[in-house]
Amino acid sequence: MKQFQIAYKNDTSFRKALDVIKRWCESNRAYTVLFRLYSEDMELDHIKHVCDIINEKMPDALYLGCSTHANIFNGALSKAKITMSCTIFEYASTQVKLMQFPFTEENAKEVVDKLKEYCDVNPWVSAVEMHATMLGMSVREFCDEMSILKDDIQIFGGGAYNPKMDNTTTYVFSKGNGISEHGIVFLLFGGSDFHIYSTYIAGWKPLTRNFTVTKADGATLSELDGQPAFDIYQRYLNIKNSSDSIISNTLEFPLFMDYKGVEVLRCPLGLNEDGSLMMATETPEGSHVRIAYGDPETILANIRHDGQKIAAFQPEVIQTFSCAARRAFWGDENISDETILFNSIAPTSGFYTSGEFLFTNGAMRNFNITLVLAAMREGESKNDEIVDLYDAKLDNIESEARTPLIRRFVSFIEATTKELDEINKKLEETNKKLAILSITDGLTNLYNRTETERRIRYALDKRTKKGVSLIMLDVDDFKKVNDIYGHAEGDRVLIGLSDVLSKVMADVPSAVGRWGGEEFMVLLPSSDITKAAKLAEKIRKEFASVSYEMAGCQTVSLGVCQAKDGETADALCSRVDDALYKAKANGKNQVVKQD
């Protein structure tokens, strides 16, 4: 795999660069030639003109591209409005396929179905790169649909952007498909000699406690913990209540969210009058977010650490998709610090996006403020000396404003937040245990009488056509067990009965409780008296078959009732108690139904 990179200046220099590539292809193995073209120039005629020159000079070459916020050229921010990389595949076994479709929220499933259909009948596909127009639309359904593709296909890419961040006009294009303002381009790779490693790097660290998203609609985040979302920025960071202030400050302090098991960042782009935040992408209700903090040294440490894995892969080409918010965070003077490192490993190119995509941890995810990378090579690794990113020289990493004192303060906050999280976790666990203890019987671990009564009343309030039934049971001659064998053996009998009840009712909608002493109650909120009687008989037989070390086999008597229309909980419990009394009076070890 060989790559050339071109910064378009004028037609003359561009044609000369294409001539150099053509001569290289004629002298070397060149089975497929692919151009990726990225443009800050939003003039469609200019983009089409450059594509026409590629078609003229290299008619067999493939090309694709999109509009961008800025371009990455040889690992650094490019000053040129149009840049391109030309990747030459040198193995006959490597296959490359271009697909382009219209792309809207409404046709997301249709698009993925077509992609999946192609991948299913072409098992050579091992990677999918994509460029999409996505500003102003929800991509949640698209990501959910993409998650059903085969797990062994690596998927990555970015959203087209506009150099003016407040302008939603964006474009994608590819050979033979024209330029689309609402489209998506898929670039499919594969083959026995094609290898790829894709990953993502964020670099920001969470600082605060978790906040729950209690109200959100699409990309509008309305409430956190029931309060206007902006309140957390005002309370914790003293950010002023203005849209300009929120944009300039939240690049350093975005929201940190666990999304389907992967840590992602979400950047507020604006502030509404009601205190809701306009986000770059969705923050679903029920998810948990924290304010995060980013500083250059921490971000670069993450890039070096994760980048070393890319170096170990020994790629021949590295494709990058970096969020435009990262450019705004670093500033144009320093933004190249985080991507130039990769160019010391392999030729690195890409663009600044409106959002990044990566299939990871079994699902497709839409990232924000993130750097997504795809490292590629043909053939096996060369086993050459691996580049050590920790030895790479970087200038202008430190600024006087980011003193060691601030970094130590951030470390202190991180440690304190972690400790508070651990304390809160223990408190939650304790509260859960206390809640369970408050409704359960200490000996049998079944519901206690108070909780059982509550559940009976609730079932009667919500009763269904199937009916509400009760089973009340009592251990026969239990006093003799205690008197002859002792209370410890009596407890073992009661625990044994509770085990039988739990076993019999395991797959039946029910609530089982200890009513008092040796009496138990089984609530069946959606069973009629016939089914309840059958279950009661099963309980009777199961318990009678259990033998205890001293007490041997014991028996129970059971009463069964179905609630009548309008019957209260007290009346129902009284009737089932009467049924149990009849079972006792009739000779015990039997089931009596009370109609």
Side-chain angles (χ1 to χ4, degrees):
M1 189 181 294
K2 172 73 173 177
Q3 187 175 90
F4 295 88
Q5 295 189 40
I6 305 169
Y8 177 84
K9 297 178 182 177
N10 53 58
D11 287 0
T12 301
S13 63
F14 182 42
R15 291 175 182 274
K16 288 181 179 179
L18 293 180
D19 286 337
V20 170
I21 295 172
K22 285 179 64 177
R23 286 195 294 271
W24 190 95
C25 292
E26 290 167 357
S27 303
N28 299 273
R29 291 184 303 180
Y31 290 98
T32 303
V33 179
L34 170 70
F35 286 87
R36 294 183 181 88
L37 192 156
Y38 298 125
S39 180
E40 285 184 71
D41 187 340
M42 297 300 292
E43 291 294 331
L44 297 185
D45 288 343
H46 294 175
I47 297 172
K48 186 177 183 300
H49 177 68
V50 173
C51 293
D52 287 343
I53 293 176
I54 295 175
N55 281 326
E56 173 197 335
K57 299 289 288 184
M58 303 188 71
D60 294 330
L62 302 174
Y63 66 79
L64 78 159
C66 64
S67 61
T68 72
H69 185 62
N71 305 325
I72 298 170
F73 181 77
N74 288 326
L77 176 69
S78 175
K79 294 181 180 179
K81 297 293 184 183
I82 298 177
T83 64
M84 66 196 80
S85 64
C86 175
T87 303
I88 301 168
F89 297 92
E90 301 177 86
Y91 282 69
S93 59
T94 301
Q95 299 188 60
V96 182
K97 169 73 174 178
L98 274 174
M99 304 175 76
Q100 181 171 326
F101 304 102
F103 187 50
T104 63
E105 288 184 39
E106 290 73 24
N107 79 333
K109 186 178 187 308
E110 178 185 346
V111 168
V112 178
D113 285 344
K114 290 179 180 178
L115 175 64
K116 184 177 185 301
E117 181 181 355
Y118 185 89
C119 293
D120 286 345
V121 297
N122 292 277
W124 59 264
V125 178
S126 60
V128 176
E129 179 179 329
M130 59 188 198
H131 303 70
T133 58
M134 53 183 280
L135 283 179
M137 65 177 280
S138 169
V139 293
R140 182 192 295 185
E141 183 179 355
F142 171 72
C143 288
D144 289 343
E145 293 294 335
M146 288 289 285
S147 296
I148 68 174
L149 264 66
K150 294 185 296 183
D151 287 346
D152 58 352
I153 297 179
Q154 297 191 49
I155 311 170
F156 53 89
Y161 215 172
N162 191 299
K164 296 179 180 180
M165 295 182 77
D166 59 348
N167 191 323
T168 59
T169 300
T170 58
Y171 306 113
V172 296
F173 49 89
S174 61
K175 183 170 184 174
N177 298 295
I179 301 174
S180 174
E181 192 174 336
H182 301 285
I184 187 167
V185 177
F186 294 114
L187 178 60
L188 286 61
F189 305 94
S192 57
D193 297 298
F194 177 79
H195 304 278
I196 186 165
Y197 171 76
S198 57
T199 187
Y200 74 101
I201 303 172
W204 275 251
K205 291 188 174 183
L207 291 178
T208 60
R209 67 175 177 85
N210 271 320
F211 301 92
T212 301
V213 178
T214 49
K215 186 178 180 182
D217 182 13
T220 301
L221 174 57
S222 298
E223 292 183 359
L224 294 171
D225 288 351
Q227 301 297 317
F230 173 72
D231 281 7
I232 64 167
Y233 281 107
Q234 195 168 45
R235 186 188 323 152
Y236 290 95
L237 300 175
N238 196 29
I239 294 176
K240 295 180 180 179
N241 189 358
S242 74
S243 187
D244 291 340
S245 181
I246 199 77
I247 293 173
S248 61
N249 283 280
T250 55
L251 289 173
E252 201 164 22
F253 297 98
L255 296 180
F256 182 96
M257 181 174 73
D258 186 308
Y259 182 58
K260 296 183 179 179
V262 172
E263 297 170 345
V264 299
L265 297 169
R266 293 291 183 256
C267 181
L269 298 180
L271 175 66
N272 298 316
E273 291 183 0
D274 61 358
S276 61
L277 297 172
M278 294 177 287
M279 309 297 292
T281 189
E282 294 167 298
T283 48
E285 288 184 4
S287 57
H288 300 287
V289 300
R290 303 164 75 173
I291 294 178
Y293 172 75
D295 73 271
E297 184 173 339
T298 301
I299 294 169
L300 288 174
N302 276 271
I303 286 174
R304 283 196 182 99
H305 178 270
D306 293 342
Q308 206 62 51
K309 299 175 185 177
I310 294 177
F313 177 75
Q314 295 186 298
E316 295 172 305
V317 168
I318 299 175
Q319 186 68 15
T320 62
F321 305 87
S322 183
C323 186
R326 295 180 81 95
R327 179 189 177 193
F329 169 80
W330 282 91
D332 285 357
E333 291 185 3
N334 298 314
I335 180 57
S336 299
D337 286 347
E338 68 172 13
T339 50
I340 197 69
L341 284 169
F342 299 105
N343 206 60
S344 63
I345 303 172
T348 300
S349 61
F351 70 101
Y352 290 95
T353 75
S354 59
E356 306 76 56
F357 294 102
L358 183 68
F359 187 96
T360 180
N361 279 28
M364 183 73 171
R365 289 172 174 81
N366 175 209
F367 289 86
N368 188 216
I369 327 182
T370 300
L371 178 61
V372 166
L373 303 109
M376 309 175 198
R377 71 163 192 266
E378 289 181 290
E380 298 304 316
S381 58
K382 307 299 189 297
N383 295 317
D384 296 330
E385 184 177 347
I386 297 172
V387 175
D388 186 354
L389 296 184
Y390 288 90
D391 289 339
K393 182 180 178 182
L394 291 172
D395 298 323
N396 302 320
I397 296 174
E398 294 277 353
S399 69
E400 293 180 3
R402 303 180 189 278
T403 65
L405 177 62
I406 292 177
R407 291 198 299 274
R408 291 191 183 99
F409 181 63
V410 171
S411 296
F412 167 77
I413 294 174
E414 290 174 357
T416 303
T417 301
K418 184 178 180 181
E419 290 173 359
L420 287 173
D421 284 345
E422 291 173 352
I423 291 171
N424 286 333
K425 186 177 180 180
K426 289 179 180 178
L427 284 173
E428 287 178 5
E429 291 173 353
T430 300
N431 288 336
K432 287 179 181 178
K433 290 178 182 177
L434 289 173
I436 292 171
L437 287 173
S438 69
I439 63 172
T440 55
D441 172 64
L443 177 66
T444 63
N445 288 325
L446 301 176
Y447 291 125
N448 58 27
R449 179 163 181 161
T450 300
E451 179 63 13
T452 305
E453 288 178 330
R454 186 191 71 79
R455 287 174 177 262
I456 292 171
R457 288 193 296 271
Y458 181 82
L460 291 174
D461 288 341
K462 304 294 182 181
R463 72 183 77 190
T464 66
K465 293 181 179 179
K466 293 182 179 180
V468 177
S469 297
L470 286 182
I471 301 172
M472 189 174 186
L473 57 149
D474 182 283
V475 180
D476 296 327
D477 302 316
F478 184 69
K479 186 176 183 301
K480 290 181 180 180
V481 175
N482 281 334
D483 290 346
I484 297 172
Y485 305 110
H487 288 278
E489 182 72 354
D491 288 348
R492 281 189 282 271
V493 171
L494 295 178
I495 293 170
L497 176 56
S498 69
D499 291 341
V500 168
L501 290 169
S502 298
K503 177 184 175 182
V504 172
M505 308 309 297
D507 298 323
V508 181
S510 60
V512 183
R514 185 180 179 189
W515 198 248
E518 65 272 26
E519 289 183 336
F520 293 78
M521 189 78 81
V522 179
L523 167 66
L524 299 163
S526 56
S527 297
D528 60 21
I529 193 168
T530 302
K531 182 177 180 180
K534 289 180 180 179
L535 288 168
E537 181 62 20
K538 187 174 182 180
I539 292 168
R540 187 191 68 79
K541 289 180 178 179
E542 288 277 346
F543 182 66
S545 67
V546 178
S547 180
Y548 297 92
E549 185 177 352
M550 291 183 286
C553 293
Q554 299 293 315
T555 62
V556 289
S557 298
L558 306 96
V560 182
C561 277
Q562 180 176 339
K564 299 176 181 179
D565 291 342
E567 188 171 28
T568 65
D570 289 342
L572 177 60
C573 289
S574 178
R575 284 201 303 119
V576 78
D577 186 57
D578 289 343
L580 173 58
Y581 178 80
K582 289 179 182 178
K584 291 283 189 182
N586 290 344
K588 304 174 184 175
N589 190 25
Q590 61 183 269
V591 176
V592 170
K593 293 192 294 182
Q594 180 84 348
D595 294 323

